[in-house]
Amino acid sequence: MAWMVLGASAMTATRPIRRPRPRRPVRTLATLAAVATMTALVPVIGPAPVQAQDSVGTSSLGETSPAATTAAAAPLRFKPPLRGLVVTEPRKLRTVPYASSASMKLQWNAIETRPGVFDFSAVDRALDAHPQVRFRLRFKAGIHAPQWVKEDAGGCVLITPDSANGGSGCAARFWRRSYRRDYLALMKAVAARYERDWQVVEIPNSACTTIYAEPFILGADDASLDRLWRAGYTKRKHGRCVRRTTGQMIRLFPRTRVSLAGHSRWQYIVARPGDERDGVREASWEAERRLLNKLLAAHGRHLVLEDHGLGPDDRECRTPGQPRRTAGSWYCYLAGLHRSAVAYGWQFTLNGGPMTEAANAGVAMGACYLEYAAFDALTPTKRRNVHRALRSNCRE
């Protein structure tokens, strides 16, 4: 499975965060006290020491927005996007020794063991063990939020999945302001430590989630939906959570890219007609498309889009896809971004069928990267060819 933080020594927020002595020079450390001034200093300190960078601009997206953030409008430079085959198991990196990108899945409750107390030792070990690899750091929230965060938000909601792919758990009320405040504190600590580290190139926004690290999937059965509704969930609050946390992360990470996992339809709950005390499930691609377009208009290439469900049957929308204003499906939306400033890619699901067909589909839809635990199911020759094709899809 993915790299998971299992816990180690904890460090307080009032002292420099300590880490094991690496076998190469120690990267610059930042204390949490520096978080408040970090964003203001970024334009002064100059470009981060990355190997290749993209200049900011949203003209290729065909629209601008008065709500565009400073990060999308200022003359900053970003760290490179993920490209090629992205491995999530460290021992499997040797199957793709030429890979330049990898991903780590990290549980929030294992990183922040107490309020303001963080343990990034597992991340640092991985970075030091693979000094030439660029990393995405995915902090899983929802059911993986610390217990004190759930209590801050007024308690948690028991979620039982509506499919065999999910796991049950008690999810924090992510739509609450107190929850967003706690998540922002986590992101400030991450930014203080890794914003100036060239190896950490992407941080997904997993704030507004339940049992999956995907903000547009509730993934809950009917009884769980009833509990969410009674706990105060609404579609409006859900969308506000996605918009605000994305904007906050964009500002915290002026050079590190922020990613968001989309889905075939945004799953949400609305009031039952004639009885607002009861909620019913709905799902809409058009509602998700509107929200994604607002986010891309505001943040441009600072935002990376990804899908977590590529299987061997997903070949229906090859590049050039469809315009993002009118795209009829999520996959056609992604394929329509081909050769634009926005990076995008897929995580394999592979519920049956060969990996080769799924990999071919990802390449044909213009993906910058494909992510999986390992790629042993591809022959060495096919593996390298797919890697090269993905890199060609998304040139730096």
Side-chain angles (χ1 to χ4, degrees), residues 227-369:
R227 288 190 288 269
L228 283 167
W229 184 255
R230 292 197 301 271
Y233 168 96
T234 66
K235 177 192 174 186
R236 181 180 62 83
K237 294 175 183 178
H238 190 164
R240 182 173 59 192
C241 179
V242 174
R243 292 192 306 273
R244 291 187 177 179
T245 54
T246 300
Q248 289 168 335
M249 290 179 65
I250 290 288
R251 290 187 289 273
L252 277 176
F253 297 95
R255 288 189 174 84
T256 304
R257 297 175 193 253
V258 175
S259 61
L260 196 66
H263 190 56
S264 59
R265 290 177 177 83
W266 179 8
Q267 300 175 358
Y268 50 79
I269 313 169
V270 297
R272 184 182 298 278
D275 186 1
E276 293 190 356
R277 295 172 300 177
D278 194 11
V280 295
R281 70 169 71 230
E282 282 193 4
S284 169
W285 158 243
E286 290 75 18
E288 181 179 343
R289 184 182 64 198
R290 286 193 295 270
L291 180 50
L292 290 174
N293 283 339
K294 289 179 181 178
L295 292 171
L296 283 182
H299 307 305
R301 70 182 67 186
H302 205 152
L303 192 64
V304 176
L305 297 182
E306 59 173 326
D307 178 83
H308 288 194
L310 185 62
D313 298 328
D314 295 313
R315 299 183 296 250
E316 70 280 3
C317 202
R318 303 191 172 210
T319 57
Q322 297 174 358
R324 66 188 184 95
R325 289 185 181 275
T326 57
S329 72
W330 166 231
Y331 280 10
C332 285
Y333 185 95
L334 288 177
L337 298 173
H338 187 59
R339 300 299 187 192
S340 77
V342 180
Y344 64 95
W346 271 267
Q347 182 184 100
F348 284 143
T349 296
L350 298 180
N351 292 326
M355 179 183 287
T356 298
E357 292 184 16
N360 290 342
V363 170
M365 287 188 281
C368 299
Y369 62 86

Side-chain angles (χ1 to χ4, degrees), residues 15-346:
R15 296 181 297 179
I17 301 175
R18 301 182 184 278
R19 52 177 295 191
R21 183 183 298 274
R23 290 176 293 179
R24 64 189 183 92
V26 179
R27 61 176 54 85
T28 301
L29 302 182
T31 66
L32 295 185
V35 173
T37 58
M38 181 188 63
T39 303
L41 292 174
V42 167
V44 179
I45 61 177
V50 299
Q51 293 177 326
Q53 299 170 325
D54 293 332
S55 59
V56 176
T58 58
S59 59
S60 61
L61 294 175
E63 62 181 59
T64 57
S65 168
T69 64
T70 301
L76 300 177
R77 292 181 178 272
F78 298 129
K79 301 174 185 179
L82 301 180
R83 294 172 67 222
L85 298 179
V86 177
V87 176
T88 63
E89 282 191 10
R91 62 187 181 86
K92 292 296 185 178
L93 271 169
R94 59 177 173 267
T95 68
V96 195
Y98 38 82
S100 62
S101 304
S103 179
M104 299 178 65
K105 295 180 181 179
L106 306 152
Q107 293 185 358
W108 182 1
N109 54 13
I111 292 290
E112 190 173 7
T113 54
R114 297 194 304 278
V117 179
F118 302 92
D119 180 5
F120 293 110
S121 57
V123 177
D124 291 337
R125 285 195 299 269
L127 298 180
D128 291 330
H130 306 282
Q132 300 305 314
V133 177
R134 303 164 182 166
F135 281 84
R136 160 197 282 152
L137 304 182
R138 186 187 305 281
F139 294 87
K140 300 177 70 174
I143 63 175
H144 302 293
Q147 183 60 34
W148 57 268
V149 170
K150 298 175 183 179
E151 293 171 358
D152 277 354
C156 56
V157 181
L158 176 63
I159 304 294
T160 302
D162 59 355
S163 75
N165 291 331
S168 298
C170 204
R173 302 184 188 197
F174 61 79
W175 56 91
R176 292 285 188 88
R177 182 180 301 175
S178 58
Y179 172 88
R180 295 198 305 271
R181 182 180 62 242
D182 289 336
Y183 187 82
L184 181 61
L186 169 67
M187 290 296 105
K188 285 181 178 179
V190 175
R193 192 169 183 87
Y194 298 112
E195 168 60 16
R196 297 184 64 182
D197 191 323
W198 80 269
Q199 278 189 269
V200 177
V201 298
E202 183 182 314
I203 307 292
N205 179 4
S206 300
C208 314
T209 56
T210 54
I211 56 179
Y212 302 100
E214 300 183 62
F216 293 103
I217 299 180
L218 293 177
D221 63 11
D222 289 340
S224 302
L225 293 177
D226 289 340
R227 288 190 288 269
L228 283 167
W229 184 255
R230 292 197 301 271
Y233 168 96
T234 66
K235 177 192 174 186
R236 181 180 62 83
K237 294 175 183 178
H238 190 164
R240 182 173 59 192
C241 179
V242 174
R243 292 192 306 273
R244 291 187 177 179
T245 54
T246 300
Q248 289 168 335
M249 290 179 65
I250 290 288
R251 290 187 289 273
L252 277 176
F253 297 95
R255 288 189 174 84
T256 304
R257 297 175 193 253
V258 175
S259 61
L260 196 66
H263 190 56
S264 59
R265 290 177 177 83
W266 179 8
Q267 300 175 358
Y268 50 79
I269 313 169
V270 297
R272 184 182 298 278
D275 186 1
E276 293 190 356
R277 295 172 300 177
D278 194 11
V280 295
R281 70 169 71 230
E282 282 193 4
S284 169
W285 158 243
E286 290 75 18
E288 181 179 343
R289 184 182 64 198
R290 286 193 295 270
L291 180 50
L292 290 174
N293 283 339
K294 289 179 181 178
L295 292 171
L296 283 182
H299 307 305
R301 70 182 67 186
H302 205 152
L303 192 64
V304 176
L305 297 182
E306 59 173 326
D307 178 83
H308 288 194
L310 185 62
D313 298 328
D314 295 313
R315 299 183 296 250
E316 70 280 3
C317 202
R318 303 191 172 210
T319 57
Q322 297 174 358
R324 66 188 184 95
R325 289 185 181 275
T326 57
S329 72
W330 166 231
Y331 280 10
C332 285
Y333 185 95
L334 288 177
L337 298 173
H338 187 59
R339 300 299 187 192
S340 77
V342 180
Y344 64 95
W346 271 267

